[in-house]
Amino acid sequence: MSNPTLSRAQFRDKLALYLVTDHREDTANLLDVVQQALMGGVTTVQLRRKHDDGAQLVELGRAIRKLTREYGALYIVNDRVDIALLTDADGVHVGQSDISCTDVRKLVGDTMVIGVSTCTVEEAHIAVAAGADYLGVGSVFPTSSKPDADMCGIDGLRAIADCVDVPIVGIGGIQQDNVGQVLGAGADGIAVVSAIMGATDVSRASADLLAMVRER
Amino acid sequence: MSNPTLSRAQFRDKLALYLVTDHREDTANLLDVVQQALMGGVTTVQLRRKHDDGAQLVELGRAIRKLTREYGALYIVNDRVDIALLTDADGVHVGQSDISCTDVRKLVGDTMVIGVSTCTVEEAHIAVAAGADYLGVGSVFPTSSKPDADMCGIDGLRAIADCVDVPIVGIGGIQQDNVGQVLGAGADGIAVVSAIMGATDVSRASADLLAMVRER
Ligand code: NI
């Protein structure tokens, strides 16, 4: 992996409970929820806001950078490498229609980790060959926060986990009652949006999910 | 200005007829129209596609980079500094809600020019103080391609032109019948979307507009 300050094992460990932000308009509230999630034990935060302008993304990114540093979590930016560079992110996450992993590497060199969303074994092989440091694999289950996402299911996740050596984070419809299946299929961590962002008690929901990953 | 390969006068000259792309879905057709516009004499092309994913932007940007080089035109990327860096752009253009000019400069250093959209004298002063190499000033006239844009009008354009030394490109609703007013108010060049992208004869429309700027 690329980030020189973490060992492979430490990096894998930091992917245990991976929070992806939602698109709520109230950004003060968003940051408040992110902080509660970090207090509960979230180990990585991904800034993913498809509709925000650059100035807003820089502002949110700098705030999340500060919070994640305080709690010892990784901070990853979805898609926008410029925002990742400006806000001193630990990494960039790209989907299949975003800037390619190879192109992201040209911009960030070895200073950041790169994650790639994959849904098939073929996509996973291509991402790893292109230098991906981890894979986001999904959707494992149907999800309301990304209803048009391709589904790979538990079997698809297992096929990819059997195939590649980089850490794998399952994503898509993951809740407390199905975390066991995701880990059982070979995921190193779980990525969630609504299971944390939509929880009544955000810290508690985060702590419960983290405990499930750690106890596997 | 920042780009080391152009003199100040050459740079100002390259802003004479500044084409901003539209959002049409047929990107092969988009590139065809851009080429016709370059054949007609367009001196700068800005890639502005607010809804495209990163992979698409990289592909379009590389194609426009190739075309603009062939015709000796500048190639500028709207908003996304990462795409500008990856596609070897001559510059980045940012609006008031995009990444700030100061932050763009951190990423591009002196290798690219930076343009900033401004609508008031105050915004213009701030942009120039932050190191903007040129200003896009508008909307000068009401425009269908950006109906919610702030209006500065001809008087607002003149007020900014009287105040700053960097080159100014008027934008917003500019057509053949009002180019004279825009130049008369102090603009160095004109930026258009539909007057070229929507023309029946794109090369002819471009040549006619360029002649009007050159003959002033
Ligand atoms: Ni002044």
Side-chain angles (χ1 to χ4, degrees), chain A residues 4-19:
Chain A
T5 66
L6 284 180
S7 73
R8 260 184 110 83
Q10 284 170 323
F11 175 57
R12 200 176 290 261
D13 194 64
K14 286 286 183 199
L15 297 173
L17 183 55
Y18 185 124
L19 175 66

Side-chain angles (χ1 to χ4, degrees), chain A residues 50 53-56 58 62 79-83 85-86 96-100 103-104 106-107, chain B residues 50 53-56 58 62 79-83 85-86 96-100 103-104 106-107:
Chain A
K50 290 285 185 190
D53 287 329
Q56 172 92 283
V58 169
R62 286 183 175 145
D79 175 34
R80 297 258 329 220
V81 185
D82 46 4
I83 305 298
L85 290 166
L86 277 174
Q96 293 291 320
S97 62
D98 293 330
I99 297 177
S100 72
D103 279 337
V104 175
K106 289 180 195 164
L107 295 177
Chain B
K50 290 286 184 188
D53 287 329
Q56 172 91 284
V58 170
R62 286 182 176 146
D79 176 32
R80 298 252 337 215
V81 186
D82 46 5
I83 305 297
L85 290 166
L86 277 174
Q96 293 291 320
S97 63
D98 293 330
I99 298 178
S100 71
D103 279 337
V104 175
K106 288 179 195 163
L107 295 177

Side-chain angles (χ1 to χ4, degrees), chain B residues 31-45:
Chain B
L31 293 173
D32 190 44
V33 169
V34 167
Q35 180 159 21
Q36 290 171 47
L38 288 163
M39 289 170 63
V42 154
T43 53
T44 294
V45 178

Side-chain angles (χ1 to χ4, degrees), chain A:
Chain A
M1 50 152 301
S2 307
N3 186 314
T5 66
L6 284 180
S7 73
R8 260 184 110 83
Q10 284 170 323
F11 175 57
R12 200 176 290 261
D13 194 64
K14 286 286 183 199
L15 297 173
L17 183 55
Y18 185 124
L19 175 66
V20 181
T21 62
D22 63 16
H23 291 78
R24 69 186 66 194
E25 281 193 26
D26 182 346
T27 54
N29 177 257
L30 180 89
L31 292 173
D32 191 44
V33 169
V34 166
Q35 178 158 24
Q36 289 171 49
L38 288 163
M39 290 170 63
V42 155
T43 54
T44 293
V45 178
Q46 180 191 120
L47 175 62
R48 178 175 184 276
R49 302 269 297 179
K50 290 285 185 190
H51 314 300
D52 280 4
D53 287 329
Q56 172 92 283
L57 289 170
V58 169
E59 191 183 329
L60 283 173
R62 286 183 175 145
I64 293 174
R65 171 69 295 178
K66 193 156 171 270
L67 287 171
T68 48
R69 204 159 261 156
E70 206 173 313
Y71 290 89
L74 295 182
Y75 157 56
I76 309 273
V77 174
N78 184 278
D79 175 34
R80 297 258 329 220
V81 185
D82 46 4
I83 305 298
L85 290 166
L86 277 174
T87 59
D88 197 20
D90 296 305
V92 173
H93 188 92
V94 286
Q96 293 291 320
S97 62
D98 293 330
I99 297 177
S100 72
C101 185
T102 306
D103 279 337
V104 175
R105 190 63 77 198
K106 289 180 195 164
L107 295 177
V108 304
D110 282 339
T111 64
M112 290 191 199
V113 297
I114 303 176
V116 178
S117 295
T118 61
C119 193
T120 66
V121 167
E122 191 191 355
E123 286 175 355
H125 278 304
I126 291 170
V128 171
D133 295 294
Y134 76 93
L135 303 181
V137 176
S139 286
V140 184
F141 305 108
T143 166
S144 57
S145 49
K146 213 174 172 184
D148 58 342
D150 287 340
M151 283 283 300
C152 70
I154 282 287
D155 291 340
L157 170 65
R158 183 178 292 110
I160 292 174
D162 288 347
C163 239
V164 301
D165 285 330
V166 300
I168 283 178
V169 178
I171 188 165
I174 300 176
Q175 305 279 349
Q176 291 193 24
D177 62 3
N178 59 29
V179 169
Q181 288 179 71
V182 179
L183 299 171
D188 299 283
I190 55 169
V192 300
V193 184
S194 46
I196 288 179
M197 299 296 294
T200 315
D201 184 336
V202 167
S203 284
R204 176 64 181 271
S206 304
D208 288 349
L209 286 167
L210 183 65
M212 297 179 81
V213 182
R214 297 288 189 225
E215 281 162 14
R216 104 180 90 168

Side-chain angles (χ1 to χ4, degrees), chain B:
Chain B
M1 50 154 300
S2 306
N3 187 313
T5 65
L6 284 179
S7 72
R8 260 183 109 84
Q10 285 171 324
F11 175 56
R12 198 175 292 260
D13 193 64
K14 286 285 182 201
L15 297 173
L17 182 56
Y18 185 124
L19 175 67
V20 181
T21 63
D22 64 16
H23 291 77
R24 68 185 66 193
E25 282 193 27
D26 182 345
T27 54
N29 178 255
L30 180 88
L31 293 173
D32 190 44
V33 169
V34 167
Q35 180 159 21
Q36 290 171 47
L38 288 163
M39 289 170 63
V42 154
T43 53
T44 294
V45 178
Q46 180 191 120
L47 174 62
R48 180 175 183 275
R49 303 269 297 179
K50 290 286 184 188
H51 314 301
D52 281 4
D53 287 329
Q56 172 91 284
L57 289 171
V58 170
E59 191 182 328
L60 283 174
R62 286 182 176 146
I64 293 174
R65 170 70 293 178
K66 193 156 171 271
L67 287 171
T68 48
R69 205 159 261 156
E70 205 172 313
Y71 290 89
L74 295 181
Y75 157 56
I76 309 274
V77 174
N78 185 278
D79 176 32
R80 298 252 337 215
V81 186
D82 46 5
I83 305 297
L85 290 166
L86 277 174
T87 59
D88 196 21
D90 296 304
V92 174
H93 189 91
V94 286
Q96 293 291 320
S97 63
D98 293 330
I99 298 178
S100 71
C101 184
T102 306
D103 279 337
V104 175
R105 188 65 74 197
K106 288 179 195 163
L107 295 177
V108 304
D110 282 339
T111 64
M112 290 190 200
V113 297
I114 303 176
V116 179
S117 295
T118 61
C119 193
T120 66
V121 167
E122 191 191 354
E123 286 175 358
H125 278 305
I126 291 171
V128 171
D133 294 295
Y134 76 93
L135 303 182
V137 176
S139 287
V140 184
F141 304 107
T143 166
S144 57
S145 49
K146 215 175 172 184
D148 58 342
D150 287 340
M151 282 284 300
C152 71
I154 281 288
D155 290 341
L157 170 64
R158 183 178 292 110
I160 292 174
D162 287 347
C163 236
V164 301
D165 285 330
V166 299
I168 284 179
V169 178
I171 188 165
I174 299 176
Q175 304 279 350
Q176 292 194 23
D177 62 3
N178 59 30
V179 169
Q181 287 181 70
V182 178
L183 300 172
D188 299 284
I190 56 169
V192 300
V193 184
S194 45
I196 288 178
M197 299 296 294
T200 314
D201 184 337
V202 168
S203 284
R204 175 64 180 271
S206 304
D208 288 348
L209 287 166
L210 183 64
M212 296 180 82
V213 181
R214 296 288 189 224
E215 282 163 14
R216 103 181 90 168

